[in-house]
Amino acid sequence: MGLRPNLLTRRAAGVASTTLALLLSTAAVGVVPAASAFSAAPSEVCAEPADVHSDARIKKGGIAKHEPNELTAKQVREREADLAAALRERASFRAGAQAAAPLASVTIPVVVHVIQRDSTRAGGNIPDSMITSQISVLNQAYSGATGGAATAFGFQLTKINRVTNPAWYPIVQGSSAERSMKTSLREGGKNTLNVYLGELSDDLLGWATFPQRKLNSMDGVVVLSESLPGGTAANYNQGDTGTHEVGHWLNLYHTFQGGCSGSGDSVSDTPAEASPAFQCPTGRDTCATAGLDPITNFMDYTYDSCMYQFTAGQASRMLTAWNAYRAA
């Protein structure tokens, strides 16, 4: 819609960067913590949030039965307090010369699980070329090549695992089948991105888990296979559902989290937004605070053709969370 005319050219050229020399500190520059985030005394143990709440992306007009699309204010406070506690733990560990210095550049190994009903394209059997194109899209988005801020992250595909199992197809968010699937298939440690592709339930384009201090078998990202570059999901087939869900996996909230009040998405350089934006509503402004709605941000709900950027504050928040939760 005229917002990023060179993006398709860049993607077609296969621009990618798997290791970025980005000098970002672990200080949460540009991050606005929730009011309770640093309220615990340094010696106090902060309990990890009890659930592995997932955040989703939903199609225009879609109504998900489980609505995993936004956290409550209480869940946000718990997550922000847990992040603060995890950072204190890491700092204490490093003070004892037990751990390596915080990372400023990260290459994330990616294991992709293709969940199929059968061997047909309609049954989930997408070609490898769509998966490699998705990795390229991630690398462009997270390197800043599409026009946003550069982040510390690059992505390297290490494995494609194809599984034909009608009991797991379609993938149903929050179901026992989803848990069985992930428990059976997940590979690697907290630093390994597991992506599950297939047909999804309830009009969802994808969902993801937030990072936790202890690895949970549910950890990972679920994405509608036809949302990958070249897929059949009209308006959502340039790979940015993957970009969006990986953002959650790296601890970003939606840009519309919390609406116009409170700490919002806990990032200071994303203007407040009252509700999700769909399609590409240029000039939309739903909050009285400064700035138009961030409809071009990867963490909104607009068409893939409309979104192209992370902000510097989001880049900093992701790296801070990586060093707190996922770094070795």
Side-chain angles (χ1 to χ4, degrees), residues 16 69 171 199 221 224 239 295 308 321:
N69 61 316
I171 305 172
E199 181 66 25
V221 165
L224 177 69
I295 66 166
Y308 67 89

Side-chain angles (χ1 to χ4, degrees), residues 100-154:
L103 295 173
S105 180
V106 180
T107 299
I108 299 175
V110 183
V111 176
V112 175
H113 308 279
V114 182
I115 310 303
Q116 304 172 188
R117 181 185 61 214
D118 51 46
S119 61
T120 67
R121 173 71 178 264
N125 185 21
I126 61 171
D128 287 358
S129 59
M130 290 176 65
I131 297 170
T132 55
S133 293
Q134 177 67 69
I135 300 300
S136 178
V137 166
L138 290 176
N139 278 308
Q140 291 172 64
Y142 282 82
S143 70
T146 57
T151 80
F153 301 99

Side-chain angles (χ1 to χ4, degrees), residues 7-207:
L7 177 55
L8 292 179
T9 302
R10 287 174 179 149
R11 286 184 174 170
V15 178
S17 173
T18 56
T19 305
L20 307 172
L22 179 64
L23 299 179
L24 291 175
S25 72
T26 55
V29 178
V31 177
V32 181
S36 62
F38 293 92
S39 60
S43 60
E44 183 178 342
V45 177
C46 183
E48 190 170 285
D51 65 3
V52 248
H53 185 94
S54 58
D55 251 24
R57 190 180 183 207
I58 301 176
K59 300 175 186 177
K60 170 69 174 175
I63 301 295
K65 293 178 182 177
H66 300 287
E67 291 283 354
N69 61 316
E70 189 172 358
L71 279 69
T72 65
K74 180 176 182 291
Q75 286 171 323
V76 170
R77 288 194 299 271
E78 289 174 347
R79 285 214 53 81
E80 295 304 291
D82 188 72
L83 175 59
L87 288 169
R88 287 195 297 270
E89 285 182 1
R90 285 280 181 168
S92 177
F93 194 49
R94 285 193 297 270
Q98 300 279 336
L103 295 173
S105 180
V106 180
T107 299
I108 299 175
V110 183
V111 176
V112 175
H113 308 279
V114 182
I115 310 303
Q116 304 172 188
R117 181 185 61 214
D118 51 46
S119 61
T120 67
R121 173 71 178 264
N125 185 21
I126 61 171
D128 287 358
S129 59
M130 290 176 65
I131 297 170
T132 55
S133 293
Q134 177 67 69
I135 300 300
S136 178
V137 166
L138 290 176
N139 278 308
Q140 291 172 64
Y142 282 82
S143 70
T146 57
T151 80
F153 301 99
F155 302 85
Q156 183 174 6
L157 179 63
T158 60
K159 182 178 182 179
I160 298 176
N161 175 37
R162 293 182 177 274
V163 179
T164 301
N165 187 340
W168 294 343
Y169 194 94
I171 305 172
V172 179
Q173 195 276 329
S175 67
S176 59
E178 181 196 8
R179 181 169 292 277
S180 174
M181 175 190 73
K182 290 183 174 180
T183 301
S184 300
L185 301 181
R186 195 192 183 285
E187 298 184 20
K190 290 190 291 184
N191 68 324
T192 301
L193 172 61
N194 280 249
V195 179
Y196 303 87
L197 303 176
E199 181 66 25
L200 307 187
S201 67
D202 305 327
D203 288 320
L204 290 169
L205 291 162
W207 61 86

